[in-house]
Amino acid sequence: MIIRFYFMCVSAVLIHKVCLQVTVEGVISGSVVLPCSSTQHDHKLQDIDVFWRHNGSKIVYDIIKGKNSVEQQEPRYKNRTETFLEEYKRGIFNIRLTALNHADAGEYTCLIAHSSEHKTVELIINETTTENGTKSADQETQKPETDVVTSSSLLWVYIIVAVLIMLIAGFVIGCRKKIQAALFSPVLTEDREQCQK
């Protein structure tokens, strides 16, 4: 029973991690930052290879050996993407996409080759809103970072709760076995004595 419970807890945590996807919203002609960070830090620039793809195949941006590489970039992303070179050593490979249009909507994948990490960002493009409802560029760029922090924090909460539940279940089962052993041990001894007579 404890093993089954353990696998359920671990599966729940892993499923949450696999399904973890950040959603970013942008507006027509605006810009957004698409987040991508590695769980490993203190990278050597020459070891860093990161590949950004849109809807699985369109080459948005590549970072090869710590340097920006736009030779293979799809023409529609030329002069519309940028990264933050100073962040690479800390494992942050965000890209900014400007002059947004409806064709930019969809799933963006960030593959961090040296650690085999894979991040997914869903970009939703909204029509420009009225002047009262328009988001500033600063608000748009802050939202993805907040989502990443919230998702990471939530994952850690799930992990801690799962570990605590497993510890409590193990303690309860251990105590239950000790109580059963203490209760039934005299009864078994009396039964054996009566059988021998």
Side-chain angles (χ1 to χ4, degrees):
M1 181 172 162
I2 186 81
I3 294 173
R4 189 179 320 159
F5 180 75
Y6 171 76
F7 282 119
M8 287 174 31
C9 291
V10 170
S11 297
V13 169
L14 291 176
I15 287 169
H16 177 74
K17 185 170 184 176
V18 169
C19 296
L20 191 61
Q21 179 180 26
V22 176
T23 301
V24 176
E25 292 186 30
V27 294
I28 296 293
S29 300
S31 67
V32 292
V33 173
L34 304 177
C36 178
S37 58
S38 174
T39 55
Q40 299 178 8
H41 301 288
D42 300 323
H43 299 283
K44 294 179 182 174
L45 284 178
Q46 66 270 16
D47 296 336
I48 295 173
D49 291 334
V50 179
F51 307 98
W52 275 97
R53 299 294 180 263
H54 181 210
N55 291 333
S57 62
K58 296 176 188 162
I59 299 173
V60 179
Y61 208 92
D62 288 338
I63 302 166
I64 307 292
K65 299 202 180 300
K67 294 181 181 177
N68 299 334
S69 174
V70 292
E71 290 81 29
Q72 302 296 318
Q73 185 181 45
E74 296 279 331
R76 65 184 310 272
Y77 300 108
K78 295 273 187 205
N79 302 316
R80 296 180 52 221
T81 53
E82 66 175 315
T83 60
F84 308 96
L85 182 64
E86 66 278 1
E87 300 288 321
Y88 293 175
K89 285 186 180 180
R90 295 190 347 210
I92 300 172
F93 309 105
N94 300 346
I95 61 170
R96 181 188 307 275
L97 183 59
T98 61
L100 295 174
N101 57 63
H102 286 295
D104 293 325
E107 187 175 274
Y108 288 80
T109 305
C110 170
L111 174 64
I112 305 169
H114 59 275
S115 62
S116 300
E117 292 177 84
H118 168 258
K119 311 291 179 176
T120 305
V121 180
E122 183 73 25
L123 177 59
I124 298 170
I125 304 294
N126 297 314
E127 294 293 329
T128 49
T129 56
T130 61
E131 194 169 306
N132 293 338
T134 302
K135 293 180 182 179
S136 70
D138 290 338
Q139 289 173 326
E140 290 179 23
T141 58
Q142 289 174 0
K143 184 177 180 355
E145 295 298 324
T146 304
D147 287 346
V148 171
V149 170
T150 302
S151 297
S152 296
S153 299
L154 190 58
L155 178 61
W156 280 109
V157 168
Y158 283 133
I159 291 170
I160 290 169
V161 167
V163 168
L164 286 174
I165 289 173
M166 288 186 292
L167 289 173
I168 291 170
F171 177 75
V172 168
I173 290 172
C175 288
R176 185 173 148 206
K177 287 182 179 179
K178 287 180 183 177
I179 291 171
Q180 285 177 341
L183 289 175
F184 293 117
S185 133
V187 172
L188 291 174
T189 307
E190 290 175 13
D191 287 343
R192 285 185 194 150
E193 288 175 3
Q194 286 183 2
C195 289
Q196 292 174 353
K197 290 181 183 179

